[in-house]
Amino acid sequence: AAAVPTAAAAAAAAAERESERTRRGRPADTMSFLHKIHNVAHAVGEYVTPVLQTSAFKERGVLTPEEFVQAGDQLVRTCPTWEWASGDPAKRRSFLPEDKQFLITRGVTCEHRVRALEANYSAEVEMEGGEGEDTWLAT
């Protein structure tokens, strides 16, 4: 037997559908159309732009695939939140190693969490222990 939705549940579902339909005041079909145009323009740009063979980082701020992999390897070694990803096989680029298609970071504390942690730490007070005892935190 199917459950009958309440009026409140139906209203919430309708509101959710409406919020999905609009983004920044634009209807979803308009956003979808703009997204498709952007994707086509990006694909054309990649098609007509050859893969960089010589370094142009100092002149134009762009990396060769080899420089990208070297920089990514250094980033992964020095920052534990970063890691290489292989991604969707259909979207892989032949000029990059299969297991090093893009970099992703995980476990980075968001601004809201940082503020909550700071509030918790600011409420802590270091207390002196008795003779021969360590200090302790009162929270």
Side-chain angles (χ1 to χ4, degrees), residues 120 123-125 127 136-139:
N120 288 342
E124 293 178 348
V125 178
M127 307 295 287
W136 53 280
L137 291 177
T139 57

Side-chain angles (χ1 to χ4, degrees), residues 72-96:
D73 286 343
Q74 182 176 352
L75 181 64
V76 168
R77 272 194 310 275
T78 57
C79 300
T81 61
W82 287 94
E83 63 186 53
W84 283 108
S86 58
D88 181 3
K91 296 181 179 180
R92 288 189 183 142
R93 301 295 184 241
S94 62
F95 50 84
L96 291 172

Side-chain angles (χ1 to χ4, degrees), residues 43-99:
V44 168
E46 281 191 350
Y47 181 76
V48 298
T49 306
V51 175
L52 196 60
Q53 300 297 320
T54 58
S55 182
F57 183 73
K58 288 183 180 180
E59 298 82 21
R60 298 184 312 177
V62 293
L63 299 171
T64 64
E66 292 79 19
E67 291 172 325
F68 174 71
V69 170
Q70 288 174 351
D73 286 343
Q74 182 176 352
L75 181 64
V76 168
R77 272 194 310 275
T78 57
C79 300
T81 61
W82 287 94
E83 63 186 53
W84 283 108
S86 58
D88 181 3
K91 296 181 179 180
R92 288 189 183 142
R93 301 295 184 241
S94 62
F95 50 84
L96 291 172
E98 284 187 14
D99 61 335

Side-chain angles (χ1 to χ4, degrees), residues 7 32 55 91 100 109 116 132 135:
S32 177
S55 182
K91 296 181 179 180
K100 295 182 178 183
T109 308
T135 59

